[in-house]
């Protein structure tokens, strides 16, 4: 009996200990008479009381502090929508929250009632910002007679100051503001006076104290940033300087700080605060296809090789492991990049590559050494051009031969996608042109051109559905097929062209028992992507491709197609892709190919 009594007493004590915490759970009610659901939702989102009451650990002191802060937060919502005569009441167990001393908070709060009365909306009796810089674009709603939303005043002021800064007046500011609410007439007068300040030009690029410890030399930081000292101040040029430093990859963070005051000569110094990124990086990748087998790749990267943000990247790849698409392929490569060479947006690169391809219709070993320049024209447009020597040792149905060429590769990329690994909107276009000159009698002169265009469009609630389309076209003009390196010709089939078809299964039969790549290629792919959850996406796709014997697609040639379904699982490094595809035509449904990788198919 004694033990049972002890247990009962302990249970009662436990309940008494828990009950005070349970008592802190307060009911919060918000009412907004004559306000639509959308406005009420904005009030609830702004209310700290509602957020605090939902927290189990919230105390009465926390609830009172939240209720007292809600006066200002909810008034901000009213002013933003043009209601300047609103009334806010917040009752804490029947007592106005503003009247409760913070140090005398009740030990228990059971109910908080929030009432927001908007009353009549106000309109602008005056809506003026002056003086204005040429081509200033004010919000179209910021005019006399329109709803006097508080956000419009801020937007108009910021737009006006930004316009002055664009014309070189870096220190433009508000010199005077007169904002008067006439409650009797329900009008608001907003008169903002600006002081543009002097027109300034860029001064020196200085380094913050902590940035002087950077492993990148100060002179190279200035070269890469490319701040146009002596030229008119421009916010765009300032952003470009910061972007160049970030784009170098040598820095983890970059902040550009304008001097508080201009120099007597009208120049404005800029201070760069940079933090170095880890100098080295190691990466790995893997892709699996049922026919092509396993492909493994890896790289080692040094971001600041000689103290000038030079990048050295070493790559290695082995593919075709366990596949039925020939033998194993390999690639070893090295690339050196030096930013800001001759121009802040121009970079120098040197590269060398050794590669071996054991494909269904040919084997080829090659060595390529070259270099050139890259150029960033804008955030979306980039280019690259160079010169390279290439040696190829080829064995195919035309026999064994060795070719030597001098290449002049050039590439232009226009990328307006919202995400390179998982695009849901935008355009992508890449065009490459490679003229080549044969260096011996067996190697021909000519040019190879290839274009890859992609378009993405999303629709539905929350852009749940995405349509993705891709078109590829290529041509090799000039020499005969035997005078062209085998991997510069075109094949179709596999993950990069037509899924469901065997890897490189479509080429050109130029004679009985003689099968080679074509000099013309056209491919189209379409995908319909639908989000199932935040992490999972379903995909249906169809691909088709054509390979022709001649540069213009004339002569011998053929089409093939494939279709399938897939799934994407989204991770921090990109979506994991799983696709199952079958050929279209006589073998539809009989053969299935599996593809696994990281990132969307295109």
């Amino acid at each position: 009996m004694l033990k049972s009594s002890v247990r009962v007493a302990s249970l009662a004590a436990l309940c008494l200990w828990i009950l005070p915490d349970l008592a802190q759970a307060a009911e919060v009610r918000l009412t907004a008479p004559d306000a639509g659901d959308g406005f009420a939702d904005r009030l609830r989102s702004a209310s700290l009381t509602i957020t605090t009451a939902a927290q189990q650990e919230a105390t009465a002191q926390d609830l009172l502090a939240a209720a007292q802060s809600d006066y200002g937060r909810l008034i901000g919502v009213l002013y933003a929508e043009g209601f300047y005569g609103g009334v806010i009441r917040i009752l804490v167990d029947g007592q106005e929250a503003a009247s409760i001393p913070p140090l005398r908070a009740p030990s228990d709060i059971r109910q908080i009632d929030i009432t927001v009365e908007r009353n009549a909306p106000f309109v602008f009796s005056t809506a003026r910002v002056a003086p204005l810089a040429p081509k200033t674009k004010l919000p179209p709603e910021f005019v006399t007679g329109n709803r006097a939303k508080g956000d419009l005043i801020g937007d108009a002021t910021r737009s006006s100051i930004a316009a002055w800064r664009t014309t070189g007046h870096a220190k433009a500011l508000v010199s005077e503001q007169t904002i008067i609410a006439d409650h009797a007439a329900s009008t608001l007068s907003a008169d903002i006076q600006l002081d543009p300040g002097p027109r300034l030009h860029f001064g020196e690029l200085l380094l913050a104290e902590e940035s002087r410890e950077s492993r990148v030399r100060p002179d190279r930081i200035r070269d890469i940033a490319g701040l146009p000292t002596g030229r008119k101040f421009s916010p765009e040029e300032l952003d470009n300087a910061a972007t160049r430093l970030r784009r170098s990859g040598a820095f983890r963070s970059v902040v550009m700080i304008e001097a508080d005051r201009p120099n007597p000569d009208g120049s404005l110094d800029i201070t760069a605060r940079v933090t170095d990124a880890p100098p080295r990086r190691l990466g790995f990748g893997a892709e699996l296809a049922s026919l092509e087998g396993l492909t493994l790749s890896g790289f080692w990267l040094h971001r600041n090789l000689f103290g000038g943000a030079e990048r050295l990247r070493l790559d290695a790849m082995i593919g075709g492991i366990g596949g039925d698409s020939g033998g194993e392929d390999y690639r070893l490569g090295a690339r050196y990049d030096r930013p800001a060479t001759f121009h802040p947006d121009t970079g120098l690169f040197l590269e060398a590559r050794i590669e071996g391809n054991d494909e269904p219709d040919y084997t080829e070993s090659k060595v390529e050494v070259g270099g050139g320049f890259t150029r960033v024209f804008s955030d979306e447009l980039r280019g690259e051009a160079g010169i390279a020597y290439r040696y190829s040792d080829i064995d195919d149905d035309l026999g064994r031969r060795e070719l030597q060429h001098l290449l002049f590769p050039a590439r232009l990329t226009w990328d307006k996608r919202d995400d390179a690994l998982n695009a849901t909107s935008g355009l992508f276009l890449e065009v490459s042109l490679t003229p080549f000159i044969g260096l011996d009698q067996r190697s021909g002169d000519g040019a190879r051109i290839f274009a890859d265009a992609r378009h993405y469009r999303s629709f539905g609630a929350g852009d749940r559905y995405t349509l993705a389309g891709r078109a590829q076209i290529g041509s090799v003009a000039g020499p005969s097929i035997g005078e062209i390196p085998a991997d510069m010709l075109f094949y179709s089939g596999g993950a990069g062209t037509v899924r469901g078809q065997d890897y490189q299964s479509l080429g050109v039969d130029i004679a009985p028992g003689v099968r080679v790549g074509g000099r013309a290629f056209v491919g189209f792919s379409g995908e319909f992507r639908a989000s199932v959850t935040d992490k999972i996406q379903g995909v249906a796709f169809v691909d088709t491709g054509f390979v022709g014997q001649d540069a213009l697609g004339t002569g011998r040639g053929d089409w093939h197609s494939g279709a399938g379904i897939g799934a994407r699982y989204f991770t921090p490094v990109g979506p994991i892709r799983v696709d199952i595809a079958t050929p279209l035509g006589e073998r539809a449904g009989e053969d299935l190919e599996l593809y696994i990788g990281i990132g969307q198919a295109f």
Side-chain angles (χ1 to χ4, degrees):
M1 292 295 295
L2 180 59
K3 291 183 179 179
S4 298
S5 298
V6 172
R7 291 193 187 98
V8 173
S10 298
L11 181 60
L14 181 62
C15 291
L16 291 174
W17 179 70
I18 293 175
L19 284 175
D21 276 354
L22 295 177
Q24 299 303 329
E27 180 185 1
V28 181
R29 295 186 299 189
L30 186 149
T31 57
D34 302 322
D37 292 340
F39 191 85
D41 289 340
R42 287 193 289 275
L43 292 171
R44 292 188 185 94
S45 297
S47 172
L48 186 59
T49 304
I50 293 176
T51 302
T52 303
Q55 301 172 358
Q56 293 183 353
E57 68 276 11
T59 65
Q61 185 73 44
D62 295 332
L63 289 169
L64 178 61
Q68 290 178 335
S69 70
D70 267 355
Y71 290 102
R73 296 171 69 93
L74 298 178
I75 284 175
V77 176
L78 291 176
Y79 285 5
E81 293 298 319
F83 297 95
Y84 298 91
V87 178
I88 297 173
R89 299 184 182 89
I90 304 177
L91 302 180
V92 178
D93 286 336
Q95 185 177 359
E96 191 70 40
S99 67
I100 301 175
L103 299 180
R104 296 182 183 178
S107 60
D108 181 28
I109 295 176
R110 297 186 177 277
Q111 183 169 314
I112 301 177
D113 293 294
I114 303 174
T115 303
V116 180
E117 297 178 3
R118 299 188 304 177
N119 295 328
F122 281 49
V123 298
F124 285 117
S125 59
T126 302
R128 180 169 55 237
V129 179
L132 295 178
K135 299 181 180 180
T136 301
K137 293 183 179 180
L138 295 175
E141 300 87 353
F142 185 69
V143 293
T144 300
N146 274 7
R147 175 81 68 85
K149 296 181 179 181
D151 289 349
L152 291 174
I153 302 174
D155 291 344
T157 303
R158 287 187 290 270
S159 298
S160 301
I161 290 176
W164 278 115
R165 284 173 55 82
T166 300
T167 61
H169 297 262
K171 296 301 178 181
L173 49 76
V174 175
S175 60
E176 184 179 352
Q177 54 182 333
T178 304
I179 301 177
I180 301 173
D182 186 339
H183 289 265
S186 295
T187 60
L188 184 77
S189 174
D191 191 356
I192 311 298
Q193 294 295 315
L194 302 181
D195 177 9
R199 190 174 183 179
L200 304 177
H201 57 269
F202 281 113
E204 295 183 22
L205 180 63
L206 309 175
L207 296 183
E209 186 68 30
E210 60 271 26
S211 300
R212 296 173 187 172
E213 300 178 1
S214 171
R215 297 184 183 91
V216 183
R217 299 190 306 273
D219 62 311
R220 286 296 292 156
I221 292 177
R222 294 186 176 92
D223 289 344
I224 295 168
L227 190 75
T229 298
R231 287 172 50 184
K232 181 189 73 173
F233 174 86
S234 165
E236 182 179 0
E237 290 285 0
L238 187 60
D239 290 342
N240 288 343
T243 298
R244 293 185 190 107
L245 289 171
R246 296 187 189 101
R247 192 170 59 219
S248 72
F251 306 105
R252 185 174 60 196
S253 67
V254 176
V255 178
M256 306 295 272
I257 305 168
E258 301 173 20
D260 292 334
R261 296 181 179 179
N263 299 316
D265 63 353
S267 64
L268 185 68
D269 293 336
I270 305 296
T271 298
R273 179 177 293 134
V274 299
T275 303
D276 285 357
R280 298 170 184 84
R281 182 183 175 191
L282 191 65
F284 299 94
E287 188 164 345
L288 177 66
S290 55
L291 184 67
E292 300 158 48
L294 178 64
T295 299
L296 299 176
S297 61
F299 71 88
W300 178 87
L301 173 68
H302 197 302
R303 293 185 170 99
N304 187 29
L305 191 62
F306 301 124
E310 303 91 350
R311 296 162 62 95
L312 176 64
R313 175 169 173 145
L314 305 179
D315 284 276
M317 183 278 292
I318 182 168
I321 303 172
D324 296 322
S325 58
E328 294 179 352
D329 306 327
Y330 68 88
R331 182 176 66 243
L332 298 173
R335 175 162 170 142
Y336 167 85
D337 282 273
R338 183 183 188 273
T341 302
F342 305 131
H343 186 277
D345 291 319
T346 300
L348 167 73
F349 72 90
L350 302 171
E351 61 181 350
R353 185 165 62 249
I354 301 173
E355 190 170 332
N357 297 310
D358 191 345
E359 305 296 353
D361 290 333
Y362 68 89
T363 60
E364 179 179 13
S365 299
K366 70 175 184 180
V367 176
E368 189 170 318
V369 180
F373 296 94
T374 62
R375 182 61 183 256
V376 177
F377 299 99
S378 69
D379 290 341
E380 295 86 19
L381 186 62
R382 301 186 178 200
E384 180 175 298
I387 184 172
Y389 165 79
R390 169 172 174 158
Y391 167 82
S392 305
D393 185 348
I394 304 164
D395 188 1
D396 57 13
D397 288 345
L398 297 177
R400 177 80 178 269
R401 60 195 182 281
E402 297 179 3
L403 303 178
Q404 297 185 69
H405 287 92
L406 193 62
L407 311 177
F408 302 91
R411 182 170 68 246
L412 198 62
T413 304
W414 185 52
D415 192 348
K416 291 183 69 67
R417 295 174 294 180
D418 59 341
D419 187 333
L421 285 178
N422 181 37
T424 59
S425 64
L427 295 167
F428 174 88
L429 177 62
E430 184 170 83
V431 179
S432 62
L433 174 64
T434 306
F436 53 88
I437 297 174
L439 299 179
D440 55 36
Q441 294 181 348
R442 302 195 63 179
S443 306
D445 303 339
R448 184 183 193 270
I449 186 170
F450 185 78
D452 184 353
R454 310 173 194 181
H455 185 218
Y456 308 87
R457 183 173 183 179
S458 296
F459 58 96
D463 286 339
R464 178 182 177 185
Y465 306 106
T466 300
L467 292 175
R470 182 184 193 183
Q472 302 176 81
I473 183 170
S475 177
V476 181
S480 65
I481 286 179
E483 298 174 317
I484 305 170
D487 69 350
M488 292 182 70
L489 298 171
F490 299 103
Y491 292 87
S492 184
T497 51
V498 178
R499 288 163 287 182
Q501 295 286 349
D502 292 344
Y503 176 68
Q504 292 195 354
S505 57
L506 184 61
V508 178
D509 296 317
I510 59 175
V514 180
R515 188 172 182 274
V516 295
R519 294 199 297 166
F521 171 72
V522 176
F524 299 99
S525 297
E527 288 194 349
F528 174 71
R529 306 169 184 169
S531 297
V532 180
T533 68
D534 291 340
K535 293 286 188 180
I536 298 176
Q537 183 182 68
V539 178
F541 58 85
V542 61
D543 304 330
T544 188
F546 169 83
V547 174
Q549 178 180 354
D550 299 328
L552 298 179
T554 57
R556 297 176 183 268
D558 202 0
W559 291 85
H560 66 174
S561 303
I565 58 175
R568 310 288 183 262
Y569 180 76
F570 295 100
T571 71
V573 297
I576 296 176
R577 178 180 78 255
V578 179
D579 287 336
I580 299 175
T582 182
L584 294 182
E586 296 179 356
R587 295 187 296 129
E590 297 179 3
D591 297 334
L592 294 176
E593 302 293 345
L594 174 67
Y595 307 91
I596 300 175
I598 296 178
Q600 296 285 2
F602 60 87

